[in-house]
Amino acid sequence: MKVIYKIIYPNGKIYSGKDLTGSINYFGSASDKLIEKDFSREERRSFTITKEIIWESAVATAKEVNAKEVEYIKFYKSNDHNIGYNQWPKFKE
């Protein structure tokens, strides 16, 4: 199953991504450096995130999934660094 997911961090910021395998254990490739800046050493000691599947398909092509990922990044504005951790596509106000 191919999925688009939204990761929600304790500070409310999000990361939107895709998984072409539907792995329960895949949490994307958000930048460690970006996330680390938002949390103190103490806050990192107990850290809970939520992964929400926001779209799925058993038949979509990789190209269609890629397009959906961009669509959801723009929809949730997770590429706006005030809202999320996606670095691409570049956020345009």
Side-chain angles (χ1 to χ4, degrees):
M1 185 67 68
K2 299 170 183 94
V3 302
I4 304 295
Y5 57 82
K6 179 172 67 170
I7 304 293
I8 306 159
Y9 291 86
N11 60 359
K13 286 189 176 183
I14 60 175
Y15 177 82
S16 303
K18 68 175 177 244
D19 181 2
L20 299 177
T21 66
S23 169
I24 193 170
N25 196 39
Y26 184 68
F27 289 88
S29 55
S31 168
D32 291 341
K33 297 294 181 197
L34 282 180
I35 297 168
E36 285 173 359
K37 289 193 287 186
D38 285 342
F39 296 94
S40 70
R41 193 81 197 130
E42 184 61 31
E43 289 172 319
R44 295 181 212 175
R45 293 178 62 83
S46 179
F47 195 87
T48 303
I49 64 171
T50 300
K51 178 180 180 181
E52 178 184 339
I53 303 299
I54 54 178
W55 179 87
E56 63 185 5
S57 174
V59 297
T61 65
K63 185 176 180 178
E64 291 169 326
V65 177
N66 291 342
K68 274 289 180 195
E69 178 187 27
V70 171
E71 179 183 323
Y72 277 104
I73 289 169
K74 290 178 177 179
F75 177 78
Y76 286 111
K77 297 182 181 175
S78 56
N79 56 345
D80 176 342
H81 294 295
N82 295 309
I83 295 172
Y85 294 114
N86 286 87
Q87 298 181 75
W88 181 90
K90 292 292 181 193
F91 179 69
K92 295 177 183 158
E93 294 185 47

